[in-house]
Coordinates of all heavy atoms in Angstrom, one line a residue:
M1 N 54.9 -68.6 -17.9 CA 55.3 -69.9 -18.4 C 55.2 -71.0 -17.3 O 55.0 -72.2 -17.6 CB 56.7 -69.8 -19.0 CG 56.7 -69.1 -20.3 SD 56.3 -70.3 -21.6 CE 56.8 -69.5 -23.0
K2 N 55.5 -70.6 -16.1 CA 55.6 -71.6 -15.0 C 54.1 -72.2 -14.7 O 54.0 -73.3 -14.1 CB 56.2 -71.0 -13.7 CG 57.6 -70.8 -13.8 CD 58.2 -70.4 -12.6 CE 59.7 -70.2 -12.7 NZ 60.3 -69.8 -11.4
L3 N 53.2 -71.5 -15.1 CA 51.8 -72.1 -14.9 C 51.3 -73.2 -15.8 O 50.5 -73.9 -15.4 CB 50.8 -70.9 -15.0 CG 50.8 -69.8 -13.9 CD1 49.7 -68.7 -14.2 CD2 50.5 -70.4 -12.5
K4 N 52.0 -73.3 -16.9 CA 51.5 -74.3 -17.9 C 51.7 -75.7 -17.3 O 50.8 -76.5 -17.4 CB 52.2 -74.2 -19.1 CG 51.7 -73.0 -20.0 CD 52.4 -73.0 -21.4 CE 51.9 -71.7 -22.1 NZ 52.5 -71.7 -23.3
P5 N 52.8 -76.1 -16.7 CA 53.0 -77.5 -16.1 C 52.0 -77.6 -14.9 O 51.4 -78.7 -14.9 CB 54.4 -77.5 -15.5 CG 55.1 -76.5 -16.4 CD 54.1 -75.4 -16.7
T6 N 51.7 -76.6 -14.2 CA 50.7 -76.8 -13.1 C 49.4 -77.0 -13.6 O 48.6 -77.8 -13.1 CB 50.8 -75.5 -12.2 OG1 52.1 -75.3 -11.8 CG2 49.9 -75.6 -11.0
I7 N 49.0 -76.2 -14.6 CA 47.7 -76.4 -15.2 C 47.6 -77.8 -15.8 O 46.5 -78.4 -15.7 CB 47.4 -75.3 -16.3 CG1 47.4 -74.0 -15.6 CG2 46.2 -75.6 -17.1 CD1 47.3 -72.8 -16.5
A8 N 48.5 -78.4 -16.5 CA 48.6 -79.6 -17.1 C 48.4 -80.7 -16.0 O 47.6 -81.7 -16.2 CB 49.8 -80.0 -17.9
V9 N 49.0 -80.6 -14.9 CA 48.9 -81.5 -13.7 C 47.5 -81.5 -13.2 O 46.8 -82.6 -13.0 CB 49.9 -81.3 -12.6 CG1 49.7 -82.1 -11.5 CG2 51.3 -81.6 -13.2
F10 N 47.0 -80.3 -12.9 CA 45.6 -80.1 -12.4 C 44.6 -80.7 -13.4 O 43.7 -81.5 -13.1 CB 45.3 -78.7 -12.3 CG 43.8 -78.4 -11.8 CD1 43.5 -78.8 -10.5 CD2 43.0 -77.9 -12.7 CE1 42.2 -78.6 -10.1 CE2 41.7 -77.7 -12.3 CZ 41.2 -78.1 -11.1
A11 N 44.8 -80.5 -14.7 CA 43.9 -81.1 -15.7 C 43.9 -82.6 -15.8 O 42.8 -83.3 -15.9 CB 44.2 -80.4 -17.1
A12 N 45.1 -83.1 -15.6 CA 45.2 -84.6 -15.6 C 44.4 -85.2 -14.4 O 43.7 -86.2 -14.5 CB 46.6 -85.0 -15.7
I13 N 44.6 -84.6 -13.2 CA 44.0 -85.2 -12.0 C 42.5 -84.9 -12.2 O 41.7 -85.9 -11.8 CB 44.6 -84.4 -10.8 CG1 46.1 -84.8 -10.5 CG2 43.7 -84.6 -9.5 CD1 46.7 -83.9 -9.5
F14 N 42.1 -83.8 -12.6 CA 40.6 -83.6 -12.7 C 40.0 -84.5 -13.8 O 39.0 -85.0 -13.5 CB 40.4 -82.2 -13.2 CG 39.0 -81.8 -13.4 CD1 38.1 -81.5 -12.2 CD2 38.4 -81.6 -14.7 CE1 36.8 -81.3 -12.4 CE2 37.1 -81.3 -14.8 CZ 36.3 -81.1 -13.7
A15 N 40.7 -84.7 -14.8 CA 40.1 -85.6 -15.9 C 40.0 -87.1 -15.4 O 39.0 -87.7 -15.6 CB 41.0 -85.6 -17.1
S16 N 41.0 -87.5 -14.6 CA 40.9 -88.9 -14.1 C 39.8 -89.1 -13.2 O 39.2 -90.1 -13.1 CB 42.3 -89.3 -13.6 OG 42.5 -88.5 -12.4
S17 N 39.5 -88.1 -12.4 CA 38.5 -88.1 -11.3 C 37.1 -88.1 -12.0 O 36.1 -88.7 -11.6 CB 38.6 -87.2 -10.3 OG 38.5 -85.9 -10.7
V18 N 37.0 -87.3 -13.1 CA 35.7 -87.0 -13.8 C 35.4 -88.2 -14.7 O 34.2 -88.6 -14.7 CB 35.7 -85.7 -14.6 CG1 34.6 -85.6 -15.5 CG2 35.8 -84.6 -13.7
F19 N 36.4 -88.8 -15.3 CA 36.1 -89.8 -16.3 C 36.1 -91.2 -15.7 O 35.7 -92.2 -16.5 CB 37.0 -89.7 -17.4 CG 36.9 -88.4 -18.2 CD1 37.9 -87.5 -18.2 CD2 35.7 -88.1 -18.8 CE1 37.7 -86.2 -18.9 CE2 35.5 -86.9 -19.5 CZ 36.6 -86.0 -19.6
S20 N 36.5 -91.5 -14.5 CA 36.4 -92.8 -13.9 C 35.0 -93.1 -13.6 O 34.4 -92.4 -12.8 CB 37.4 -93.0 -12.8 OG 37.0 -92.1 -11.7
A21 N 34.5 -94.2 -14.1 CA 33.1 -94.6 -13.9 C 33.1 -95.6 -12.7 O 34.0 -96.3 -12.6 CB 32.5 -95.2 -15.0
P22 N 32.0 -95.6 -11.9 CA 31.9 -96.5 -10.9 C 31.9 -98.0 -11.5 O 31.4 -98.1 -12.6 CB 30.6 -96.3 -10.1 CG 30.3 -94.8 -10.5 CD 30.9 -94.5 -11.8
V23 N 32.2 -98.9 -10.7 CA 32.3 -100.3 -11.2 C 31.5 -101.2 -10.4 O 31.6 -101.2 -9.1 CB 33.8 -100.8 -11.4 CG1 34.5 -100.8 -10.1 CG2 33.9 -102.2 -12.1
N24 N 30.7 -102.1 -10.9 CA 30.0 -103.1 -10.1 C 30.9 -104.3 -9.9 O 31.2 -105.1 -10.8 CB 28.8 -103.5 -10.9 CG 27.9 -104.5 -10.1 OD1 28.3 -105.1 -9.2 ND2 26.6 -104.7 -10.6
I25 N 31.3 -104.4 -8.7 CA 32.3 -105.5 -8.3 C 31.6 -106.9 -8.3 O 32.3 -107.9 -8.2 CB 33.0 -105.2 -7.0 CG1 32.1 -105.1 -5.8 CG2 33.9 -104.0 -7.2 CD1 32.8 -105.1 -4.5
N26 N 30.3 -106.9 -8.4 CA 29.7 -108.2 -8.5 C 29.6 -108.7 -10.0 O 29.3 -109.9 -10.1 CB 28.2 -108.2 -8.0 CG 28.2 -108.2 -6.5 OD1 29.1 -108.8 -5.9 ND2 27.3 -107.5 -5.9
T27 N 29.9 -107.9 -11.0 CA 29.7 -108.4 -12.3 C 31.0 -108.1 -13.3 O 31.2 -108.6 -14.3 CB 28.5 -107.8 -13.1 OG1 28.6 -106.3 -13.0 CG2 27.2 -108.2 -12.4
A28 N 31.8 -107.1 -12.8 CA 32.9 -106.7 -13.6 C 34.0 -107.6 -13.7 O 34.2 -108.5 -12.7 CB 33.5 -105.3 -13.1
S29 N 34.7 -107.7 -14.8 CA 35.9 -108.5 -15.0 C 37.0 -107.9 -14.1 O 37.0 -106.8 -13.7 CB 36.3 -108.5 -16.4 OG 36.8 -107.1 -16.8
A30 N 38.0 -108.8 -13.9 CA 39.2 -108.3 -13.1 C 39.9 -107.1 -13.8 O 40.3 -106.2 -13.1 CB 40.2 -109.4 -13.0
A31 N 40.0 -107.1 -15.1 CA 40.5 -106.0 -15.8 C 39.8 -104.7 -15.6 O 40.4 -103.7 -15.5 CB 40.5 -106.4 -17.5
K32 N 38.5 -104.7 -15.7 CA 37.6 -103.5 -15.4 C 37.8 -103.0 -14.0 O 37.8 -101.8 -13.8 CB 36.1 -103.8 -15.8 CG 35.2 -102.7 -15.7 CD 35.7 -101.6 -16.7 CE 34.6 -100.5 -16.6 NZ 35.1 -99.3 -17.3
I33 N 37.9 -104.0 -13.1 CA 38.0 -103.6 -11.7 C 39.4 -102.9 -11.5 O 39.5 -101.8 -10.9 CB 37.9 -104.8 -10.7 CG1 36.5 -105.3 -10.7 CG2 38.3 -104.4 -9.3 CD1 36.2 -106.6 -10.0
A34 N 40.4 -103.5 -12.1 CA 41.7 -102.8 -12.0 C 41.8 -101.5 -12.6 O 42.5 -100.5 -12.1 CB 42.8 -103.8 -12.5
E35 N 41.2 -101.3 -13.7 CA 41.1 -100.1 -14.4 C 40.4 -99.1 -13.7 O 40.6 -97.9 -13.7 CB 40.4 -100.3 -15.8 CG 40.2 -99.1 -16.6 CD 39.4 -99.5 -17.9 OE1 39.9 -100.5 -18.6 OE2 38.4 -98.9 -18.1
S36 N 39.3 -99.4 -12.9 CA 38.4 -98.5 -12.3 C 38.7 -98.0 -11.0 O 38.2 -97.0 -10.5 CB 36.9 -99.0 -12.4 OG 36.6 -99.2 -13.7
L37 N 39.3 -98.9 -10.2 CA 39.6 -98.6 -8.7 C 41.0 -98.2 -8.5 O 41.9 -98.9 -8.9 CB 39.2 -99.8 -7.9 CG 37.7 -100.2 -8.0 CD1 37.4 -101.3 -7.1 CD2 36.8 -99.0 -7.6
S38 N 41.2 -97.2 -7.6 CA 42.5 -96.8 -7.3 C 43.2 -97.7 -6.3 O 42.6 -98.2 -5.3 CB 42.4 -95.4 -6.6 OG 43.7 -94.9 -6.1
G39 N 44.4 -98.1 -6.5 CA 45.2 -98.9 -5.6 C 45.0 -100.4 -5.9 O 45.4 -101.3 -5.1
I40 N 44.1 -100.8 -6.9 CA 43.8 -102.1 -7.2 C 44.4 -102.5 -8.6 O 44.2 -101.9 -9.6 CB 42.3 -102.4 -7.3 CG1 41.6 -101.9 -6.1 CG2 42.0 -103.7 -7.8 CD1 41.8 -102.8 -5.0
G41 N 45.5 -103.3 -8.5 CA 46.1 -103.7 -9.7 C 45.6 -105.0 -10.2 O 44.5 -105.5 -9.7
A42 N 46.1 -105.6 -11.2 CA 45.7 -106.9 -11.8 C 45.6 -108.0 -10.7 O 44.5 -108.8 -10.7 CB 46.6 -107.3 -12.9
R43 N 46.5 -108.1 -9.9 CA 46.5 -109.2 -8.9 C 45.4 -109.1 -7.9 O 44.6 -110.0 -7.5 CB 47.8 -109.2 -8.1 CG 48.3 -110.6 -7.8 CD 49.7 -110.6 -7.2 NE 50.6 -111.2 -8.1 CZ 51.9 -111.2 -8.0 NH1 52.5 -110.6 -7.0 NH2 52.7 -111.9 -8.8
K44 N 45.2 -107.9 -7.2 CA 44.1 -107.7 -6.3 C 42.7 -107.7 -7.0 O 41.8 -108.2 -6.5 CB 44.3 -106.3 -5.7 CG 45.4 -106.3 -4.6 CD 45.5 -104.9 -4.0 CE 46.6 -104.9 -3.0 NZ 46.9 -103.6 -2.4
A45 N 42.6 -107.3 -8.3 CA 41.4 -107.3 -9.0 C 41.0 -108.8 -9.2 O 39.8 -109.2 -9.1 CB 41.5 -106.6 -10.3
E46 N 42.0 -109.6 -9.5 CA 41.7 -111.1 -9.7 C 41.3 -111.7 -8.4 O 40.5 -112.5 -8.4 CB 43.0 -111.8 -10.3 CG 42.7 -113.3 -10.7 CD 41.6 -113.4 -11.7 OE1 41.5 -112.6 -12.7 OE2 40.8 -114.4 -11.6
A47 N 41.9 -111.3 -7.3 CA 41.5 -111.8 -6.0 C 40.1 -111.4 -5.6 O 39.3 -112.3 -5.1 CB 42.4 -111.2 -4.9
I48 N 39.6 -110.2 -6.1 CA 38.3 -109.8 -5.9 C 37.3 -110.7 -6.7 O 36.3 -111.3 -6.1 CB 38.0 -108.3 -6.3 CG1 38.8 -107.4 -5.3 CG2 36.5 -108.0 -6.4 CD1 38.9 -106.0 -5.8
V49 N 37.7 -111.0 -7.9 CA 36.8 -111.9 -8.7 C 36.8 -113.4 -8.1 O 35.8 -114.0 -8.1 CB 37.3 -111.9 -10.1 CG1 36.6 -112.9 -11.1 CG2 37.1 -110.6 -10.8
Q50 N 38.0 -113.8 -7.8 CA 38.0 -115.2 -7.1 C 37.2 -115.2 -5.9 O 36.5 -116.2 -5.6 CB 39.4 -115.6 -6.9 CG 40.3 -115.9 -8.2 CD 41.7 -116.2 -7.9 OE1 42.2 -116.1 -6.8 NE2 42.4 -116.6 -8.9
Y51 N 37.3 -114.2 -5.0 CA 36.5 -114.2 -3.8 C 35.0 -114.2 -4.1 O 34.2 -115.0 -3.6 CB 36.8 -112.9 -3.0 CG 36.1 -112.8 -1.7 CD1 36.7 -113.4 -0.5 CD2 34.8 -112.3 -1.6 CE1 36.0 -113.4 0.6 CE2 34.2 -112.3 -0.4 CZ 34.8 -112.8 0.8 OH 34.1 -112.8 2.0
R52 N 34.6 -113.4 -5.2 CA 33.2 -113.3 -5.5 C 32.7 -114.7 -6.1 O 31.7 -115.2 -5.8 CB 33.1 -112.2 -6.6 CG 31.7 -112.1 -7.3 CD 31.7 -111.1 -8.3 NE 32.3 -111.6 -9.5 CZ 32.9 -110.9 -10.4 NH1 32.9 -109.5 -10.3 NH2 33.5 -111.4 -11.5
D53 N 33.6 -115.4 -6.8 CA 33.2 -116.6 -7.4 C 33.1 -117.7 -6.3 O 32.3 -118.7 -6.4 CB 34.3 -117.1 -8.5 CG 34.2 -116.3 -9.8 OD1 33.2 -115.5 -9.9 OD2 35.2 -116.4 -10.5
S54 N 33.9 -117.6 -5.3 CA 33.9 -118.6 -4.2 C 32.8 -118.3 -3.2 O 32.3 -119.3 -2.5 CB 35.2 -118.6 -3.5 OG 36.3 -119.1 -4.3
N55 N 32.5 -117.1 -2.9 CA 31.6 -116.7 -1.8 C 30.3 -116.1 -2.2 O 29.6 -115.7 -1.3 CB 32.4 -115.7 -0.9 CG 33.6 -116.4 -0.3 OD1 33.5 -117.2 0.5 ND2 34.8 -116.0 -0.7
G56 N 30.1 -115.9 -3.5 CA 28.9 -115.3 -3.9 C 29.1 -113.7 -4.0 O 30.1 -113.2 -3.7
H57 N 28.0 -113.1 -4.5 CA 28.1 -111.7 -4.6 C 28.3 -110.9 -3.4 O 27.8 -111.4 -2.3 CB 26.8 -111.1 -5.3 CG 26.7 -111.5 -6.7 ND1 25.6 -111.3 -7.5 CD2 27.7 -111.9 -7.6 CE1 25.8 -111.6 -8.7 NE2 27.0 -112.0 -8.9
F58 N 28.9 -109.8 -3.4 CA 29.2 -108.8 -2.4 C 27.8 -108.3 -2.0 O 27.1 -107.9 -2.8 CB 30.1 -107.8 -2.7 CG 31.6 -108.2 -2.9 CD1 32.0 -108.5 -4.2 CD2 32.4 -108.4 -2.0 CE1 33.3 -109.0 -4.5 CE2 33.8 -109.0 -2.2 CZ 34.1 -109.2 -3.5
K59 N 27.5 -108.1 -0.6 CA 26.2 -107.6 -0.3 C 26.3 -106.1 -0.1 O 25.4 -105.4 -0.2 CB 25.8 -108.2 1.0 CG 25.7 -109.7 1.0 CD 24.3 -110.3 0.9 CE 24.2 -111.8 0.9 NZ 24.6 -112.5 -0.2
S60 N 27.5 -105.6 0.2 CA 27.7 -104.2 0.4 C 29.1 -103.8 -0.1 O 30.0 -104.7 -0.2 CB 27.6 -103.7 1.9 OG 28.7 -104.2 2.6
A61 N 29.4 -102.6 -0.4 CA 30.6 -102.2 -0.9 C 31.8 -102.4 0.2 O 32.9 -102.9 -0.2 CB 30.7 -100.7 -1.2
S62 N 31.4 -102.3 1.4 CA 32.4 -102.5 2.5 C 32.8 -104.0 2.6 O 33.9 -104.4 3.1 CB 32.0 -102.1 3.9 OG 30.8 -102.8 4.2
D63 N 32.1 -105.0 2.0 CA 32.4 -106.4 2.0 C 33.7 -106.7 1.2 O 34.3 -107.6 1.4 CB 31.3 -107.3 1.4 CG 30.1 -107.4 2.3 OD1 30.2 -107.0 3.5 OD2 29.1 -107.8 1.8
I64 N 34.2 -105.7 0.4 CA 35.4 -105.9 -0.4 C 36.7 -106.0 0.6 O 37.6 -106.7 0.2 CB 35.6 -104.7 -1.4 CG1 36.7 -105.1 -2.4 CG2 35.9 -103.4 -0.6 CD1 36.8 -104.1 -3.6
I65 N 36.5 -105.5 1.8 CA 37.6 -105.7 2.8 C 37.8 -107.1 3.2 O 38.9 -107.6 3.6 CB 37.3 -104.7 4.0 CG1 37.1 -103.4 3.7 CG2 38.2 -105.1 5.2 CD1 36.7 -102.4 4.8
S66 N 36.8 -108.0 2.9 CA 37.0 -109.4 3.2 C 38.0 -110.0 2.3 O 38.5 -111.2 2.5 CB 35.7 -110.2 3.1 OG 34.8 -109.6 4.1
V67 N 38.3 -109.4 1.2 CA 39.2 -110.0 0.2 C 40.7 -109.8 0.7 O 41.0 -108.7 1.0 CB 39.0 -109.4 -1.2 CG1 40.0 -109.8 -2.1 CG2 37.6 -109.5 -1.7
K68 N 41.4 -110.8 0.7 CA 42.8 -110.8 1.1 C 43.6 -109.8 0.3 O 43.5 -109.8 -0.9 CB 43.5 -112.1 1.0 CG 44.9 -112.1 1.6 CD 45.6 -113.4 1.6 CE 46.9 -113.4 2.2 NZ 47.5 -114.7 2.3
G69 N 44.3 -108.8 1.0 CA 45.0 -107.8 0.3 C 44.3 -106.5 0.1 O 44.8 -105.5 -0.3
I70 N 43.0 -106.4 0.4 CA 42.2 -105.2 0.4 C 41.9 -104.8 1.8 O 41.1 -105.4 2.6 CB 40.8 -105.4 -0.4 CG1 41.0 -106.2 -1.7 CG2 40.1 -104.1 -0.5 CD1 41.7 -105.3 -2.8
G71 N 42.5 -103.7 2.2 CA 42.2 -103.2 3.5 C 41.3 -101.9 3.6 O 40.8 -101.5 2.5
Q72 N 41.1 -101.5 4.7 CA 40.3 -100.3 5.0 C 40.6 -99.1 4.2 O 39.7 -98.4 3.6 CB 40.3 -100.0 6.4 CG 39.3 -98.9 6.9 CD 37.8 -99.2 6.8 OE1 37.4 -100.5 6.9 NE2 37.0 -98.3 6.7
S73 N 41.9 -98.8 4.1 CA 42.3 -97.6 3.3 C 42.0 -97.7 1.9 O 41.6 -96.7 1.2 CB 43.8 -97.3 3.5 OG 44.6 -98.4 2.9
I74 N 42.1 -98.9 1.3 CA 41.8 -99.0 -0.2 C 40.3 -98.8 -0.3 O 39.8 -98.3 -1.2 CB 42.3 -100.3 -0.7 CG1 43.8 -100.3 -0.8 CG2 41.6 -100.6 -2.1 CD1 44.4 -101.6 -1.4
F75 N 39.5 -99.5 0.7 CA 38.0 -99.4 0.5 C 37.6 -97.8 0.6 O 36.9 -97.4 -0.2 CB 37.4 -100.1 1.6 CG 35.9 -99.7 1.8 CD1 35.0 -100.0 0.8 CD2 35.5 -99.1 3.0 CE1 33.7 -99.7 1.0 CE2 34.1 -98.7 3.2 CZ 33.2 -99.0 2.2
V76 N 38.1 -97.1 1.6 CA 37.8 -95.7 1.8 C 38.1 -94.9 0.6 O 37.3 -94.1 0.1 CB 38.5 -95.1 3.1 CG1 38.3 -93.6 3.1 CG2 37.9 -95.8 4.3
K77 N 39.3 -95.2 -0.1 CA 39.8 -94.5 -1.3 C 38.8 -94.7 -2.4 O 38.6 -93.8 -3.3 CB 41.1 -94.9 -1.6 CG 41.9 -94.1 -2.5 CD 43.3 -94.5 -2.9 CE 44.0 -95.4 -2.0 NZ 45.3 -95.7 -2.4
N78 N 38.1 -95.8 -2.4 CA 37.3 -96.2 -3.6 C 35.8 -96.3 -3.4 O 35.1 -96.6 -4.4 CB 37.8 -97.5 -4.2 CG 39.2 -97.5 -4.8 OD1 39.3 -96.9 -5.8 ND2 40.2 -98.0 -4.1
K79 N 35.3 -96.1 -2.2 CA 34.0 -96.4 -1.9 C 32.9 -95.7 -2.7 O 31.9 -96.3 -3.0 CB 33.6 -96.2 -0.4 CG 33.7 -94.7 0.2 CD 33.4 -94.8 1.6 CE 33.7 -93.4 2.2 NZ 33.4 -93.3 3.6
Q80 N 33.2 -94.5 -3.3 CA 32.3 -93.9 -4.2 C 32.2 -94.6 -5.6 O 31.3 -94.3 -6.3 CB 32.7 -92.4 -4.3 CG 32.5 -91.6 -3.1 CD 33.8 -91.3 -2.5 OE1 34.7 -92.2 -2.4 NE2 34.0 -90.2 -1.8
D81 N 33.3 -95.3 -5.9 CA 33.4 -95.9 -7.2 C 33.0 -97.4 -7.2 O 33.1 -98.0 -8.2 CB 34.8 -95.7 -7.7 CG 35.1 -94.3 -8.0 OD1 34.2 -93.6 -8.5 OD2 36.2 -93.8 -7.7
I82 N 32.6 -97.9 -6.1 CA 32.2 -99.3 -6.0 C 30.7 -99.4 -6.0 O 30.0 -98.9 -5.1 CB 32.7 -100.0 -4.7 CG1 34.2 -99.9 -4.6 CG2 32.2 -101.4 -4.5 CD1 34.9 -100.4 -3.3
L83 N 30.1 -100.0 -7.0 CA 28.7 -100.4 -7.0 C 28.4 -101.8 -6.6 O 29.2 -102.7 -7.0 CB 28.2 -100.1 -8.5 CG 28.3 -98.7 -9.1 CD1 27.8 -98.8 -10.6 CD2 27.4 -97.8 -8.3
I84 N 27.2 -101.9 -6.0 CA 26.8 -103.3 -5.7 C 25.4 -103.4 -6.3 O 24.4 -102.6 -5.9 CB 26.6 -103.5 -4.2 CG1 28.0 -103.3 -3.5 CG2 26.0 -104.8 -3.8 CD1 29.1 -104.3 -3.9
K85 N 25.2 -104.3 -7.2 CA 23.8 -104.4 -7.8 C 23.5 -105.9 -7.9 O 24.3 -106.8 -7.9 CB 23.7 -103.9 -9.2 CG 23.8 -102.4 -9.2 CD 23.7 -101.8 -10.6 CE 23.7 -100.4 -10.6 NZ 23.5 -99.8 -11.8

């Protein structure tokens, strides 16, 4: 019986990593960015969109660090899920 909660937690973690799709930060809405990237809430996602609108498209995924409030640790946590097109 003790295994059931452990299996449920594992399944939830696995499902969230499998079903999260990469997001193009050059075209996605703030809502989509917040939904797709870990550690990015509505406020930071809106900052990403505002930065993009003011400075043009991101040239590389690491350029997201230029956005106020987005640090190296958030970038590293999400780099596989950030698309640049």
Side-chain angles (χ1 to χ4, degrees):
M1 287 276 193
K2 289 186 180 183
L3 289 179
K4 286 184 181 180
T6 304
I7 292 171
V9 170
F10 176 74
I13 291 169
F14 180 73
S16 68
S17 65
V18 169
F19 296 118
S20 66
V23 63
N24 184 342
I25 61 172
N26 282 328
T27 59
S29 67
K32 182 66 176 169
I33 292 170
E35 173 186 308
S36 300
L37 300 179
S38 178
I40 305 287
R43 218 177 243 170
K44 286 183 184 174
E46 189 56 44
I48 292 168
V49 171
Q50 287 177 354
Y51 183 90
R52 176 182 75 204
D53 291 346
S54 297
N55 298 290
H57 284 168
F58 294 95
K59 306 254 186 284
S60 71
S62 63
D63 288 347
I64 198 171
I65 295 171
S66 299
V67 178
K68 185 176 179 172
I70 309 291
Q72 183 72 22
S73 63
I74 289 177
F75 166 66
V76 169
K77 196 179 340 181
N78 290 290
K79 66 182 172 182
Q80 294 97 327
D81 294 322
I82 299 173
L83 293 178
I84 302 295
K85 291 186 180 181

